[in-house]
Amino acid sequence: MKIQDFCDMNKFEQIMKNWAGSTGLATVAVGADGKYISDCYNFTEFCIDLTRGSAEGKKRCEQCDREGHGVYPCHAGLVDFGIPITLEDGTVLGSIIGGQVLPENPDEEKFRQTARELGIDEDKYIKALKKVNVKTKEQIDASANLLGDVINMFVRASYANWKNENLVGELKGGITKAAEQIEEATDKTKEIDGYSKRQQILALNASIEAARAGDQGKGFAVVATEVQKLARDMATSSADIKKLLGELHVTINHLNQ
């Protein structure tokens, strides 16, 4: 099951974009396989081009991506978040990850030390750092939780709507099939009517022959009587079936409207 199977991804993207634009935080959505399912919003040069652009930085970032949950400090000194996208039953469909903001004005010397560890030009690193937004811990928590709540509500509502549409489709398919079976059953009742009429004629002829045979035809007359009774019962059953099928047909036509 993928989010793209049932969600309007244009609306999904709009939520992500509007949130990023209003909060100044970076974000992207990934599926259960870790692959991006949305565009990247507000990604910083500091994180993407420089930190992840170095071999050691990429290694540390990928470890943070795997182990980070909720709102957490990343190895480079920024604050990131990772929030699962789930259905009501707990099925995990992916995650919203992002952040890339500072919780306070940075200590440049610490970031220069990080640049040296990662093999990045210190001056470039500090220049990119100065472009990173500064948010309080409370603002970061509130923003991340808001995005998680909105995306999860959207995904769950989309899933419920998708399930309902499928259920309606299955019901309509079942109703159509039932209508076809009713038509088939109606045709069968016509065959029964035919058998009943032929049996009535056969029973009548048998009764006449039994009467002609006199005493020798008494046993045959009993059989003829039973055949007549069977023919009448078949006619009654056929009428009952027709009535029931007619009622079902009316009900199904009403459901199809």
Side-chain angles (χ1 to χ4, degrees):
M1 175 68 67
K2 295 181 180 180
I3 295 172
Q4 304 94 305
D5 292 338
F6 57 85
C7 266
D8 183 333
M9 295 309 291
N10 289 327
K11 291 182 179 179
F12 187 100
E13 289 278 359
Q14 196 63 48
I15 293 172
M16 300 281 286
K17 181 179 180 180
N18 289 342
W19 177 88
S22 63
T23 63
L25 278 70
T27 189
V28 66
V30 298
D33 57 2
K35 295 180 179 179
Y36 289 176
I37 59 173
S38 79
D39 285 340
C40 302
Y41 298 100
N42 280 349
F43 272 36
T44 63
E45 177 190 4
F46 177 88
C47 288
I48 301 304
D49 296 336
L50 297 177
T51 305
R52 286 183 185 263
S54 71
E56 180 61 25
K58 182 179 180 182
K59 178 181 176 182
R60 294 183 185 184
C61 286
E62 288 176 346
Q63 182 178 356
C64 282
D65 289 343
R66 289 193 302 271
E67 299 176 358
H69 299 287
V71 179
Y72 60 91
C74 81
H75 71 93
L78 304 189
V79 174
D80 288 339
F81 63 83
I83 300 173
I85 303 173
T86 64
L87 297 179
E88 291 287 356
D89 63 2
T91 300
V92 178
L93 300 177
S95 300
I96 309 163
I97 58 177
Q100 299 182 16
V101 290
L102 288 161
E104 58 187 7
N105 291 320
D107 179 343
E108 289 190 10
E109 183 51 41
K110 288 183 178 180
F111 284 91
R112 287 184 180 276
Q113 175 60 37
T114 299
R116 291 192 290 270
E117 291 176 4
L118 301 180
I120 301 171
D121 181 278
E122 292 180 37
D123 291 334
K124 282 186 177 181
Y125 210 50
I126 297 303
K127 183 179 179 181
L129 176 66
K130 290 180 179 180
K131 298 177 184 178
V132 176
N133 288 325
V134 178
K135 301 286 184 180
T136 66
K137 178 68 164 55
E138 291 74 17
Q139 288 175 322
I140 298 169
D141 286 345
S143 297
N145 290 333
L146 173 63
L147 180 60
D149 289 343
V150 172
I151 286 293
N152 273 298
M153 283 190 289
F154 175 71
V155 168
R156 292 173 185 178
S158 297
Y159 179 75
N161 184 62
W162 178 74
K163 288 286 287 184
N164 287 339
E165 287 179 351
N166 283 350
L167 179 59
V168 170
E170 291 173 3
L171 287 173
K172 286 184 176 179
I175 290 171
T176 300
K177 184 64 177 177
E180 292 173 354
Q181 291 174 336
I182 287 175
E183 292 295 334
E184 183 179 347
T186 301
D187 290 339
K188 294 295 183 183
T189 60
K190 294 177 182 178
E191 293 181 14
I192 293 174
D193 288 341
Y195 296 147
S196 174
K197 290 176 181 178
R198 287 196 293 273
Q199 283 187 327
Q200 288 175 350
I201 293 171
L202 178 62
L204 177 60
N205 291 337
S207 297
I208 293 172
E209 293 299 324
R212 289 177 179 173
D215 291 340
Q216 293 179 349
K218 288 182 179 179
F220 193 57
V222 173
V223 174
T225 300
E226 290 300 319
V227 171
Q228 285 180 319
K229 183 176 181 299
L230 177 61
R232 288 194 299 270
D233 290 345
M234 287 178 66
T236 301
S237 296
S238 179
D240 291 342
I241 292 171
K242 284 181 180 178
K243 180 181 179 182
L244 178 58
L245 290 175
E247 292 172 352
L248 287 172
H249 190 68
V250 170
T251 300
I252 286 174
N253 284 338
H254 178 71
L255 290 173
N256 269 327
Q257 293 177 352

